[in-house]
Amino acid sequence: MTEKSKAIYPGSFDPVTRGHLDVIERARGLFGTLHIAVLSNPEKKALFTPEERIELLRSETAGLAGAGVLEFSSFEGLTARLAVEVEAGWIVRGLRSAADAAYELPMAHSNRRCGETEIETVFLPAGAETSFISSSLVREIAAGGGLLEAFVTPGVEAALRGRFSS
Ligand code: PNS
């Protein structure tokens, strides 16, 4: 990885969690540019639209450490195709558990083989403070009115409260 190298960090980010932010902060220290790509899947019902998710990603990453440039987009279709489109050489994903590895490894091997260019996946192990966090748990806790501080930043918490008020 050179200073000028570029990676994409794909995900649903519905919404961005403290775990995602940890991965972003660490990955932007490794790559010159980190392209954060929000999957837009019309068949899957999401809490936030892709535009809202990008807005939250932009605001919550604004104060993060690290020199790497951050780019944001939403995409449909294949991650490997997007990587070629934005000229990224790597895919970044966080790994929280053995269950994650079971899901991520076939995806990483597929991403090496399903695009026009071979693209490698770089895994970053989740820190102990974030390894229990997932967006689906966050949505559940928000819907039930639970405490969100350990899971998301205040900006995301406000957006969640807005979504579940009334
Ligand atoms: O945050 P998530 O939901 O765990 O992210 C999953 C994501 C978006 C990385 C994954 O579903 C994905 O890459 N979807 C796009 C379709 C694709 O490229 N699948 C891999 C087969 S080669």
Side-chain angles (χ1 to χ4, degrees):
M1 292 168 227
T2 67
E3 222 175 286
K4 289 213 176 85
S5 62
K6 183 167 181 176
I8 60 169
Y9 179 28
S12 303
F13 303 107
D14 187 36
V16 58
T17 67
R18 290 193 186 278
H20 295 129
L21 294 175
D22 179 48
V23 170
I24 292 169
E25 193 165 57
R26 287 156 64 202
R28 88 188 288 201
L30 297 174
F31 297 97
T33 303
L34 184 67
H35 186 106
I36 302 168
V38 174
L39 179 69
S40 168
N41 183 353
E43 273 152 43
K44 205 170 141 192
K45 204 176 168 321
L47 186 58
F48 294 100
T49 66
E51 294 72 29
E52 289 169 331
R53 285 180 258 163
I54 289 177
E55 202 49 48
L56 285 171
L57 277 159
R58 273 189 202 284
S59 62
E60 303 316 301
T61 54
L64 291 185
V69 174
L70 297 183
E71 295 178 351
F72 303 86
S73 72
S74 65
F75 74 106
E76 287 183 25
L78 294 179
T79 293
R81 183 151 290 163
L82 178 77
V84 172
E85 253 170 58
V86 302
E87 298 181 329
W90 289 270
I91 294 170
V92 169
R93 294 284 289 167
L95 265 193
R96 294 164 299 187
S97 62
D100 268 3
Y103 169 69
E104 295 289 341
L105 292 178
M107 199 156 73
H109 288 298
S110 301
N111 280 325
R112 271 185 65 206
R113 289 167 176 81
C114 73
E116 297 92 60
T117 311
E118 245 188 43
I119 180 149
E120 291 287 0
T121 300
V122 174
F123 292 112
L124 293 179
E129 327 70 44
T130 57
S131 60
F132 60 94
I133 300 175
S134 69
S135 294
S136 57
L137 274 180
V138 163
R139 293 193 299 272
E140 231 174 279
I141 295 163
L147 298 181
L148 286 162
E149 194 188 341
F151 301 80
V152 295
T153 52
V156 175
E157 180 167 355
L160 285 161
R161 298 282 175 232
R163 196 73 11 146
F164 287 105
S165 64
S166 79

